[in-house]
């Protein structure tokens, strides 16, 4: 019988190493970032409300990793989004120094860091939703995958706005730092619009890269 070439264990280990090491490195960086961001924040309650997604998501990813490892692209995006949340939680979105610099340099009416946060609220969840749908439903390769992903991101943005509304009702003036409206009566609509733009751009720019990484995910890791 003809010999069948199979990769040696050492070669498999070498090629799989980057996939294993990058998520561990990113998880460690996020954990360190959390520790730094909670050190003397502007307001501890605001920090918790902004970073609660990380406090829930990071342990969940770790606990489910063996059964459902994520692509490297998604891991990098989640770590980047975590950084944006931690900075916003530490300073509050209306007082992030980088946003103050952008406001003063470009003559803006407000600190734009909150807008960046909501763009990321669409940009990163779009790849998360796309990955979950591609691996757990018949939608992979379907023309419905992109519009349903954008709809899911918009739904999450709307739920987040209701979460902010509930915080305002419960906390009153104490929730102003969390809301970060900066006097804009259309802030809620702008937030959801930014999430829509972020999700749409993410799918247009990253879908092909994401598909290549999804193809390399071991079949047994898909649900």
């Amino acid at each position: 019988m003809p010999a069948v070439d199979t990769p040696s264990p050492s070669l498999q280990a070498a090629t799989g190493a980057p996939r294993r090491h990058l998520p561990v490195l990113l998880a460690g960086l996020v954990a360190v970032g959390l520790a730094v961001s909670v050190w003397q924040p502007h307001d501890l309650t605001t920090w918790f409300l902004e970073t609660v997604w990380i406090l829930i998501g990071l342990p969940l990813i770790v606990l489910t990793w063996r059964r459902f490892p994520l692509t490297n692209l998604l891991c990098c995006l989640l770590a980047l989004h975590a950084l944006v949340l931690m900075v916003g939680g530490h300073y509050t979105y209306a007082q992030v120094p980088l946003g103050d610099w952008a406001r003063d340099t470009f003559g803006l009416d407000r600190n734009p860091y909150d807008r960046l946060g909501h763009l990321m609220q669409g940009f990163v969840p779009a790849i998360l939703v796309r990955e979950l749908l591609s691996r757990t439903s018949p939608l992979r390769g379907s023309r419905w995958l992109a519009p349903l992903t954008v709809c899911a991101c918009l739904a999450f943005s709307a739920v987040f706005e209701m979460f902010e509304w509930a915080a305002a009702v419960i906390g009153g003036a104490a929730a102003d730092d969390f809301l970060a409206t900066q006097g804009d009566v259309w802030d809620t609509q702008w937030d959801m619009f930014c999430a829509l733009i972020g999700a749409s751009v993410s799918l247009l720019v990253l879908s092909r890269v994401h598909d290549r990484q999804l193809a390399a995910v071991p079949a047994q890791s898909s649900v």
Side-chain angles (χ1 to χ4, degrees):
M1 294 179 61
V4 178
D5 293 332
T6 57
S8 65
S10 59
L11 178 59
Q12 291 176 327
T15 55
R19 176 170 175 78
R20 291 197 305 270
H21 293 166
L22 180 62
V24 174
L25 175 62
L26 292 174
L29 290 175
V30 170
V32 171
L34 272 174
V36 173
S37 69
V38 76
W39 178 257
Q40 297 183 341
H42 177 80
D43 178 72
L44 188 59
T45 300
T46 300
W47 175 87
F48 174 76
L49 291 174
E50 299 292 0
T51 61
V52 65
W53 313 104
I54 310 170
L55 299 173
I56 295 172
L58 183 58
L60 182 62
I61 292 172
V62 172
L63 290 173
T64 60
W65 186 263
R66 285 186 177 274
R67 185 170 61 88
F68 200 86
L70 305 178
T71 60
N72 281 348
L73 173 63
L74 180 54
C75 288
C76 291
L77 290 174
L78 290 173
L80 180 61
H81 196 185
L83 175 63
V84 172
L85 293 173
M86 289 184 288
V87 171
H90 181 81
Y91 292 105
T92 77
Y93 278 84
Q95 300 182 56
V96 172
L98 180 61
D100 285 342
W101 172 85
R103 179 197 60 205
D104 298 337
T105 301
F106 300 106
L108 304 176
D109 294 331
R110 54 177 282 158
N111 186 312
Y113 193 81
D114 180 60
R115 300 289 189 237
L116 171 63
H118 285 279
L119 280 169
M120 292 295 289
Q121 192 184 75
F123 193 88
V124 176
I127 299 302
L128 173 61
V129 171
R130 190 176 191 273
E131 183 150 330
L132 292 175
L133 290 178
S134 293
R135 295 171 61 182
T136 63
S137 77
L139 287 172
R140 187 166 184 170
S142 168
R143 68 181 64 183
W144 287 101
L145 179 60
L148 288 176
T149 295
V150 172
C151 288
C153 292
L154 273 176
F156 174 76
S157 181
V159 169
F160 187 83
E161 294 304 320
M162 288 189 281
F163 180 50
E164 287 188 340
W165 167 66
V169 171
I170 296 171
D176 287 349
D177 287 334
F178 177 56
L179 295 177
T181 59
Q182 300 182 64
D184 186 357
V185 296
W186 301 107
D187 186 69
T188 297
Q189 288 76 14
W190 270 110
D191 289 348
M192 290 188 288
F193 179 70
C194 286
L196 170 62
I197 295 300
S200 301
V201 170
S202 180
L203 294 179
L204 288 172
V205 173
L206 298 176
S207 289
R208 289 189 178 182
V209 176
H210 193 214
D211 282 339
R212 288 197 294 269
Q213 294 200 8
L214 285 172
V217 174
Q220 62 269 25
S221 67
S222 300
V223 178

